[in-house]
Amino acid sequence: MDIALAVIAFFLSLVGVLGCIVPILPGILLNYIALVCLYFTSYAEVDTTSLVIWLVVVLLVSLADYVLPAYMTRKFGGSKAGAWGATIGVFAGLFLFPPFGIILGPFFGAVLGEMSRTKSDSSQALKSGFGSFLAFIVGTGIKLIVAFWMTGVVVAACWSPVKEWVVGLF
């Protein structure tokens, strides 16, 4: 059973890293589930405290991923309309135009929100849209850092059992 959990954890970690880039997959959540799988093995050094800490990290990063577009839109001079547009764009892009909608949705949402407020200032609308796009890049970077870190923990814990399983196949 330990080897099966190790293989599942290893696979979930790899898919989790991919999920930080592909919007349809819940990236760091899959990495967290991999750590939970390791928790139930007899050899892994993942304890309850580590799981709680990683859960808090996953929740904070996931929250930041949804909040950052509106925040960065405001930081780049956008109004509340631009921030709301970016927030709506995140969800609309995710569901209406996957996978590229999660990238372009906040940008166009912020631009449209700003344009609805001030119809003549297209440069400010583009600036706030750029802030939203920058938030996507920053959020993806943070998710990738956390995903690679958790994958490192999983690989370090799974290396021996996975190696034994592969050698056992041949």
Side-chain angles (χ1 to χ4, degrees):
M1 185 64 170
D2 280 351
I3 292 176
L5 284 172
V7 170
I8 290 169
F10 189 74
F11 177 74
L12 286 174
S13 289
L14 295 178
V15 175
V17 169
L18 181 65
C20 291
I21 300 166
V22 178
I24 279 188
L25 298 172
I28 58 172
L29 179 61
L30 292 175
N31 284 99
Y32 182 75
I33 294 170
L35 290 175
V36 172
C37 286
L38 285 181
Y39 177 78
F40 290 109
T41 63
S42 61
Y43 59 85
E45 297 291 327
V46 178
D47 59 356
T48 306
T49 305
S50 297
L51 281 181
V52 170
I53 291 170
W54 279 115
L55 179 62
V56 169
V57 169
V58 166
L59 291 174
L60 289 174
V61 169
S62 297
L63 179 66
D65 198 35
Y66 289 106
V67 173
L68 268 175
Y71 175 76
M72 292 294 282
T73 299
R74 296 289 299 225
K75 275 294 193 192
F76 274 71
S79 65
K80 284 186 180 182
W84 274 105
T87 303
I88 292 168
V90 166
F91 294 107
L94 178 65
F95 294 112
L96 298 177
F97 307 107
F100 300 107
I102 194 72
I103 300 168
L104 298 175
F107 173 79
F108 286 118
V111 170
L112 290 173
E114 286 298 319
M115 294 297 285
S116 72
R117 188 180 69 84
T118 59
K119 298 190 186 325
S120 61
D121 193 6
S122 60
S123 65
Q124 179 56 41
L126 288 174
K127 185 178 173 185
S128 68
F130 176 73
S132 176
F133 176 74
L134 186 62
F136 170 77
I137 299 299
V138 169
T140 300
I142 292 170
K143 286 190 299 187
L144 281 170
I145 289 168
V146 170
F148 275 119
W149 193 355
M150 285 195 282
T151 299
V153 170
V154 169
V155 169
C158 290
W159 187 252
S160 179
V162 169
K163 186 171 90 176
E164 289 175 23
W165 178 70
V166 170
V167 170
L169 289 175
F170 303 103

